[in-house]
Amino acid sequence: MKAYLILEDGHIFEGESFGAQREIISEFVFNTSMTGYLEVLSDPSYAGQSVVMTYPLIGNYGVCLEDQESSQPYIQGLIVNELARVGSHFRKNMDLEEYCIQNDIPGIQGIDTRYLTKMIRNQGCMNGMITTTYYENREDIIEKIKAFQVTGEVLKTTCQKPYTIGIGKKKVALYDFGAKKNIAKELVKRDCIVTVYPATTSAADILKEGYDGIMLSNGPGDPSECVDIINQIKILMKSGIPIFAICLGHQLMALANGFQTEKLKYGHHGANHPVKDLSTGRVYISTQNHNYVVKDETIDSYIAKPWFRNVNDQTIEGIEYIHKNIKTVQFHPEACAGPLDTSYLFDEFMKMMEDKNHA
């Protein structure tokens, strides 16, 4: 069956439908990863968005459900140049198209994803529609596409009640703003017992439990919308408990300290982004998925200092807070399917908790 991608600027791409045959409107971004498409599909940070995969063949190793980053995918749609109808891997549970059908994800294959990616790079993230209907008169459709906004996604992706995983010596609270499962897994591997809390949890409820550390997770959307969460973080950061934050959590901590965030033209989405540790000069390859960054010039040097920078565009990728046991990064140290260059940052968090106990 034919399918169409209609962008807000009027461009139309014609391809072949796969997965769920339903009509959706979303924001469109591109991801430059060569592997890890299941991790992309199941990353809650993509809530409200559809993803254009730049690598031409997607689905060649099928789907292993154990590798999902959440209990359900939140991605709106998937656009590929060529879909591998049959995946080949000893861990495979199903093929990619079957996964998309089961999870109601519409997809298009057979379009020029290289050209589409260049459009997004030049014009910025755009809204669009995936549909199997050919619209002769598209004026009303275009207006509807333009009106779409990614909003309120954190509350859609967070857990509904607290739960605990792992058995360990360190007690860690993980604030779930749309957390990837591998964040908790990395902590459990390091002898932590992790309690995951909904984004609506008050700081008081967390502080009364006597945690050794607090982790602020990744998540979707515009961080400046999360006013209630930011107010709770302001309370948490005064507690003296070590805090480590990732992606959206990094941005929310910056906002809680009076810094500002802004939307990038087309965001950072992929597994090949170089970041430089400013304290050592060493460069690591990182996985990233975000549209917003902390504005460099708004960081108060009396409160914090840049820790990591993106080598490609020099945007802030990490912040160390002065005289506070708080560190944050924009990228994903828990990255799966990789690269795992920055997984050592979980060891850094463990050291923060140890130092606090010995202080």
Side-chain angles (χ1 to χ4, degrees):
M1 178 180 289
K2 286 185 178 180
Y4 305 92
L5 169 57
I6 306 172
L7 295 178
E8 64 177 83
D9 68 353
H11 273 87
I12 300 179
F13 293 82
E14 181 181 314
E16 180 185 341
S17 172
F18 71 87
Q21 293 180 359
R22 68 183 181 95
E23 189 170 278
I24 61 100
I25 296 176
S26 67
E27 182 178 59
F28 282 74
V29 299
F30 62 84
N31 185 293
T32 55
S33 301
M34 296 175 67
T35 60
Y37 49 81
L38 177 60
E39 288 83 351
V40 169
L41 286 164
S42 56
D43 181 350
S45 295
Y46 280 116
Q49 296 178 326
S50 294
V51 178
V52 182
M53 299 299 294
T54 63
Y55 191 71
L57 178 65
I58 299 296
N60 55 312
Y61 55 86
V63 167
C64 174
L65 296 175
E66 186 182 346
D67 295 339
Q68 292 184 106
E69 288 286 4
S70 59
S71 58
Q72 69 177 83
Y74 291 93
I75 192 174
Q76 293 298 296
L78 181 64
I79 302 91
V80 303
N81 179 263
E82 181 181 353
L83 174 73
R85 295 288 183 181
V86 179
S88 177
H89 196 275
F90 72 97
R91 296 174 65 235
K92 185 186 84 168
N93 299 113
M94 65 184 71
D95 293 316
L96 178 55
E97 181 168 27
E98 183 182 355
Y99 181 84
C100 289
I101 291 171
Q102 285 189 10
N103 290 282
D104 206 25
I105 302 169
I108 302 179
Q109 71 155 332
I111 68 172
D112 188 343
T113 51
R114 181 178 175 84
Y115 180 68
L116 176 56
T117 298
K118 286 184 173 181
M119 283 185 60
I120 296 173
R121 279 184 61 92
N122 291 333
Q123 299 182 41
C125 294
M126 285 187 283
N127 291 344
M129 171 188 283
I130 294 176
T131 181
T132 56
T133 301
Y134 182 78
Y135 291 96
E136 291 283 356
N137 186 349
R138 292 184 290 274
E139 289 185 9
D140 291 343
I141 295 297
I142 295 294
E143 289 305 311
K144 188 177 178 182
I145 292 171
K146 287 180 178 179
F148 174 82
Q149 290 184 317
V150 178
T151 184
E153 301 298 335
V154 168
L155 296 182
K156 298 175 187 176
T157 59
T158 188
C159 61
Q160 297 305 303
K161 60 182 180 180
Y163 63 94
T164 300
I165 61 173
I167 300 173
K169 295 178 181 177
K170 298 294 184 187
K171 288 178 59 180
V172 175
L174 172 58
Y175 237 142
D176 177 10
F177 308 134
K180 294 168 66 178
K181 284 185 176 179
N182 275 290
I183 295 176
K185 286 181 179 179
E186 289 291 335
L187 293 169
V188 170
K189 283 197 304 188
R190 289 164 173 81
D191 202 22
C192 294
I193 178 170
V194 181
T195 302
V196 184
Y197 285 95
T200 53
T201 306
S202 71
D205 285 344
I206 291 177
L207 293 176
K208 70 182 181 182
E209 299 297 331
Y211 288 103
D212 297 301
I214 300 170
M215 179 74 73
L216 308 182
S217 85
N218 64 291
D222 183 348
S224 64
E225 286 187 352
C226 304
V227 177
D228 291 341
I229 297 172
I230 292 167
N231 288 333
Q232 298 309 307
I233 292 175
K234 289 178 180 179
I235 298 171
L236 291 177
M237 70 186 190
K238 295 176 181 178
S239 68
I241 299 173
I243 300 176
F244 198 94
I246 295 171
C247 198
L248 179 65
H250 155 85
Q251 298 161 6
L252 295 175
M253 178 59 74
L255 290 169
N257 279 275
F259 312 155
Q260 297 175 22
T261 56
E262 63 183 344
K263 190 172 185 179
L264 292 168
K265 185 176 181 180
Y266 49 82
H268 296 157
H269 312 277
N272 53 359
H273 289 264
V275 294
K276 185 176 183 179
D277 183 337
L278 300 178
S279 63
T280 65
R282 184 170 179 178
V283 174
Y284 301 88
I285 302 302
S286 69
T287 288
Q288 302 196 11
N289 177 21
H290 58 97
N291 273 358
Y292 293 83
V293 292
V294 178
K295 293 177 70 173
D296 199 341
E297 65 275 14
T298 68
I299 297 176
D300 186 337
S301 60
Y302 289 99
I303 298 175
K305 63 179 180 179
W307 182 17
F308 286 89
R309 282 195 184 276
N310 190 297
V311 176
N312 291 333
D313 61 12
Q314 297 301 306
T315 52
I316 295 292
E317 292 281 1
I319 296 175
E320 287 185 283
Y321 288 81
I322 300 168
H323 307 308
K324 295 177 183 176
N325 216 354
I326 301 172
K327 293 184 178 182
T328 70
V329 292
Q330 180 65 78
F331 51 90
H332 288 269
E334 82 292 345
C336 286
L340 302 178
D341 294 29
T342 59
S343 61
Y344 76 92
L345 292 173
F346 286 97
D347 299 321
E348 184 86 16
F349 181 46
M350 296 300 295
K351 185 176 183 299
M352 289 165 63
M353 290 189 284
E354 287 289 345
D355 290 348
K356 175 62 177 177
N357 289 340
H358 295 151

